[in-house]
Amino acid sequence: MRAPRVAPGGRRQLGLVNFLLGKALSRGAGVREAHLFTTLGRNRSLFRAWLLYSGALMLRGRLPRRETEVVILRVAHHCDSDYERRHHVRLGRRAGLTTGEIERTRADGLEGWRPSDAVLLAATDQLIAHEGIDDATWARLRAYWDEAQAIELTLLVGQYRGLATTIRTLGIAPDPSTD
């Protein structure tokens, strides 16, 4: 891996608020320092706005946490984002995903998933591949998920696809181990 284009910041680069947010969020993610937070935090005001949006999608959304993690892990697979994947494997376990389910998010098929999960994954796959969802998949999606949840799914996929691009472009390095 090449050197980061934007290095993680410390208290001076992040400011006190972002520094403390980074510490708390890293702890919540189960790592000593989440480089995502200490890198993005260098843009002080945008970082806080991004946290509100990301938190609304991931933690306070209408989709259940387990299903949110299924979608995020599938996006990480398609975008080849090891950084996102590492974080969301931990978060997915906390949300109730089994090891087998976590591994199946890497498979391109839908075998073994319950129907409500399979349609979320099919819609995610289409959003990544075609930047849209076909009518048949949309109808299946709406059979399990209400309108607000369907809207949220499209925003969730776009958010994590964009985040994968940001991580890769900035060269955000893997987080130090918690050992």
Side-chain angles (χ1 to χ4, degrees):
M1 181 169 170
R2 64 179 161 78
R5 287 179 169 161
V6 177
R11 188 194 175 299
R12 177 177 288 162
Q13 295 83 21
L14 302 176
L16 181 60
V17 172
N18 287 1
F19 179 75
L20 293 173
L21 281 169
K23 289 282 186 193
L25 293 165
S26 295
R27 192 173 20 257
V31 295
R32 188 173 63 237
E33 178 190 345
H35 286 156
L36 177 66
F37 303 134
T38 57
T39 301
L40 297 184
R42 294 177 75 113
N43 184 323
R44 294 179 185 190
S45 61
L46 186 59
F47 175 63
R48 290 188 292 277
W50 172 79
L51 282 177
L52 289 173
Y53 178 67
S54 296
L57 283 172
M58 195 178 86
L59 301 173
R60 293 179 307 280
R62 295 279 314 272
L63 287 170
R65 285 287 304 130
R66 180 194 166 279
E67 286 74 5
T68 296
E69 291 302 329
V70 167
V71 170
I72 293 169
L73 285 165
R74 185 64 149 228
V75 172
H77 161 68
H78 281 301
C79 295
D80 196 28
S81 180
D82 188 54
Y83 190 99
E84 279 183 347
R85 182 159 192 84
R86 286 178 190 209
H87 273 275
H88 288 280
V89 162
R90 282 190 300 275
L91 296 173
R93 284 190 182 115
R94 285 190 212 160
L97 290 174
T98 67
T99 300
E101 289 171 326
I102 290 169
E103 284 307 309
R104 277 201 320 275
T105 62
R106 289 181 151 176
D108 289 327
L110 302 173
E111 298 78 28
W113 291 102
R114 57 188 180 204
S116 59
D117 289 339
V119 74
L120 285 175
L121 291 167
T124 299
D125 294 348
Q126 287 182 20
L127 284 164
I128 295 290
H130 308 293
E131 296 182 342
I133 300 172
D134 66 37
D135 290 340
T137 303
W138 184 261
R140 286 192 349 256
L141 181 72
R142 289 303 311 283
Y144 293 98
W145 305 101
D146 69 27
E147 184 176 81
Q149 291 168 319
I151 292 168
E152 184 176 315
L153 170 67
T154 65
L155 291 168
L156 182 67
V157 171
Q159 157 67 5
Y160 279 88
R161 184 179 194 180
L163 188 56
T165 300
T166 299
I167 291 166
R168 182 175 296 108
T169 301
L170 299 181
I172 296 176
D175 298 331
S177 71
T178 55
D179 303 339

